Amino acid sequence: MTPTDETAETAATPPEAAAPKDAGAITRGWVVPAIIGSALLMQTLNATVITNALPAMAESFGVEPVRLSIAITVYMLSAAIFLPLSGWLADRFGAKRIFLASIVLYALGSLACALAGNLATMILARFVQGAAGATLMPVGRLVLLRTTPKSELVGAMSVVTMPALLGPVVGPVLGGAIVTFADWPWIFLINLPIAVTGFFLVRAYVPDVKEQAVPRVDIPGILLTGLGLAALIFGFENIGRDALQPWAVGGLFAVGALSLGVYGWHARRTPHAVVDLSIFRKPTFAAATIGGGFMRTAMGANPFLLAMLLQVAFGMSAFAAGTMTFVSAVGALAMKTTAPPILRRFGFRTVLLVNAVIVGVSFMAYALFKPSWPHWAIMAILGVGGFFRSLQFSSLNGLAYADIEPDEMSRAATTASMVQQLVQSIGIGLSASLLHVLMTLQGETKLTAEVVGPAFIIAGAFTMISMLWFWSLPADAGDEMNGRKVA
């Protein structure tokens, strides 16, 4: 656990949690978050390593590489369908039990992917992976929320979010190395030892906390939100691509918007709706989820835009480009021990406002990259960007649950995960469309640094929109989370 001021922490911690720093407190403080984060590493890592393996997989299956994009899309569709159910499953059967089941199912899906001999089998296996992945993140987060006092939650979130930051950075390097020096099935087989280790560690150290009053399952709500999310994600995935006609993409957006609109009507009339829209009335949750969504949209676009800049525009190999971007993980790791004391010193509102500007400027700085730049200069800027983005992630993840009551935790975790899934897919889809527009405006037929550069400037400006939500927060927002509020 990150060192804290003992007096402030005791005052901010509920009586039952204000215990001496014994082995149980240490386990709760960083061991449990580290175990949950390690289990989540399967999901975040696999989401990125598969990209570099698509051409090799296409050759193995005897299909065009462009058709393998469905291996990514079907995962996101499956996750969107099952994500709304995750909170109720955790309440009904216990978060720990569902988390363990998700680890096993994800491992089995990974094994099926590795053994797939054709595209149809791969699609089915990826669907299974997506269903398991839909519960891994929100249920893992729910376990953390229910077992960690609020005053320790920022430090715990800093630990558990490391895989989310490391996966997109380590993934391209690892994926490129596997495809270059081994064979594509290993990008799925590497999940198996992680799953086995995570399963036994979760079983041994992670406590099981169940909701006492389990609400009835909201079947109509699950169907409406699943359909709405799936349609929107599939629509954004096909923006700027030739896979679907423009009218079909528009139809997906219409179906998605209509489904979610009907769900909004349904939720106001259902006491235990699967997604509790009333939690958006809490300023801290709205700021972290909606305001933070603008930064997460830019983050969803960032790996794609960097790959286009370094590999296509600069002509680097996938392995070389991935090795360069790995430095941002170093920046993210360096931040993890500094986030709690920074938040205690300045508070959530100040940190989020100032850091939104820094993160936005760091994105814009990528537009200055040129092939003639020394690699160390590019890596230095990427490292600084990784540091401050990681600080923003930790702040947003902590603030979101500052005012959430215990009986709202499962639905809050599910809602936050749904929004994150949606905005990240929006980032990828919009970045592809943006590059197409910039190429057309500049009269280019291929990607160049001059084409990709303005996209980073737009992404940086988009990030700063989040300040509108952060500005309206009270100065003491979330103080209980970081030990600033003294009774």
Side-chain angles (χ1 to χ4, degrees):
M1 191 183 83
T2 307
T4 59
D5 177 70
E6 197 71 29
T7 303
E9 178 170 336
T10 302
T13 303
E16 68 274 15
K21 303 299 182 184
D22 56 10
I26 294 174
T27 299
R28 181 189 67 225
W30 68 268
V31 174
V32 170
I35 292 171
I36 294 173
S38 298
L40 297 178
L41 180 62
M42 291 189 301
Q43 185 180 20
T44 57
L45 190 61
N46 203 239
T48 50
V49 296
I50 190 174
T51 305
N52 282 344
L54 292 181
M57 292 166 61
E59 182 179 356
S60 175
F61 296 154
V63 298
E64 291 295 322
V66 69
R67 291 189 62 191
L68 261 296
S69 63
I70 193 173
I72 298 175
T73 304
V74 74
Y75 180 97
M76 299 184 71
L77 288 174
S78 177
I81 291 170
F82 290 99
L83 187 56
L85 192 59
S86 60
W88 181 84
L89 287 173
D91 287 344
R92 175 65 178 83
F93 300 103
K96 179 178 179 179
R97 183 177 299 176
I98 295 299
F99 193 62
L100 288 170
S102 299
I103 293 175
V104 173
L105 187 61
Y106 200 92
L108 292 175
S110 299
L111 180 61
C113 288
L115 299 177
N118 54 61
L119 182 57
T121 307
M122 174 59 70
I123 291 172
L124 289 174
R126 288 287 288 172
F127 189 86
V128 173
Q129 266 195 322
T135 54
L136 267 178
M137 180 64 76
V139 175
R141 184 177 294 166
L142 182 59
V143 171
L144 196 67
L145 291 171
R146 287 181 173 171
T147 58
T148 306
K150 282 189 175 182
S151 60
E152 300 176 12
L153 196 55
V154 172
M157 284 289 190
S158 294
V159 176
V160 83
T161 54
M162 282 187 187
L165 295 165
L166 288 175
V169 178
V170 178
V173 182
L174 186 59
I178 288 175
V179 173
T180 302
F181 304 113
D183 200 3
W184 68 262
W186 284 99
I187 69 172
F188 299 105
L189 294 176
I190 58 175
N191 287 329
L192 300 185
I194 299 176
V196 171
T197 304
F199 180 89
F200 286 107
L201 288 176
V202 169
R203 188 175 180 183
Y205 292 101
V206 176
D208 191 14
V209 181
K210 294 177 65 176
E211 183 67 41
Q212 297 300 316
V214 180
R216 290 191 306 172
V217 59
D218 179 21
I219 296 296
I222 290 171
L223 294 176
L224 287 169
T225 52
L227 176 61
L229 281 178
L232 290 179
I233 288 173
F234 196 37
F236 280 111
E237 279 291 295
N238 283 279
I239 289 180
R241 303 185 184 184
D242 298 326
L244 294 179
Q245 293 294 324
W247 64 265
V249 176
L252 286 169
F253 287 132
V255 170
L258 179 61
S259 298
L260 294 181
V262 173
Y263 175 78
W265 174 86
H266 164 79
R268 287 192 294 270
R269 291 159 175 78
T270 305
H272 299 292
V274 64
V275 176
D276 185 5
L277 299 181
S278 66
I279 59 177
F280 284 101
R281 298 173 190 156
K282 299 178 185 291
T284 50
F285 186 84
T289 307
I290 301 176
F294 289 94
M295 192 203 77
R296 288 189 167 97
T297 300
M299 277 296 298
N302 185 56
F304 174 77
L305 291 176
L306 275 178
M308 295 301 100
L309 179 67
L310 298 178
Q311 295 184 42
V312 180
F314 289 4
M316 294 182 182
S317 67
F319 184 70
T323 302
M324 286 191 66
T325 58
F326 177 78
V327 72
S328 64
V330 178
L333 288 171
M335 186 285 308
K336 286 307 176 183
T337 57
T338 60
I342 288 175
L343 287 168
R344 280 197 304 273
R345 174 64 179 85
F346 298 103
F348 279 99
R349 182 179 182 273
T350 300
V351 170
L352 287 170
L353 280 170
V354 174
N355 204 42
V357 176
I358 297 174
V359 171
V361 170
S362 72
F363 278 128
M364 294 177 178
Y366 298 169
L368 302 176
F369 292 168
K370 302 294 181 186
S372 59
W373 274 39
H375 286 184
W376 66 263
I378 295 176
M379 294 171 71
I381 294 177
L382 291 174
V384 171
F387 178 93
F388 287 104
R389 285 197 302 274
S390 184
L391 174 59
Q392 200 76 342
F393 268 129
S394 294
S395 303
L396 291 170
N397 287 333
L399 180 68
Y401 304 98
D403 299 320
I404 299 297
E405 300 300 328
D407 61 343
E408 299 173 317
M409 286 295 186
S410 63
R411 282 175 287 178
T414 299
T415 303
S417 295
M418 289 171 62
V419 173
Q420 290 176 27
Q421 181 91 349
L422 179 60
V423 298
Q424 287 173 0
S425 68
I426 290 174
I428 297 171
L430 290 183
S431 61
S433 298
L434 183 59
L435 291 182
H436 178 75
V437 171
L438 290 171
M439 287 178 62
T440 302
L441 291 176
Q442 297 184 24
E444 297 285 354
T445 57
K446 63 179 182 179
L447 286 176
T448 63
E450 289 70 26
V451 169
V452 183
F456 284 112
I457 296 176
I458 295 172
F462 199 75
T463 297
M464 296 184 193
I465 297 175
S466 61
M467 297 173 68
L468 295 174
W469 278 264
F470 304 151
W471 185 266
S472 63
L473 289 171
D476 61 349
D479 276 358
E480 184 181 358
M481 306 288 287
N482 52 37
R484 294 184 88 214
K485 184 175 290 186
V486 180

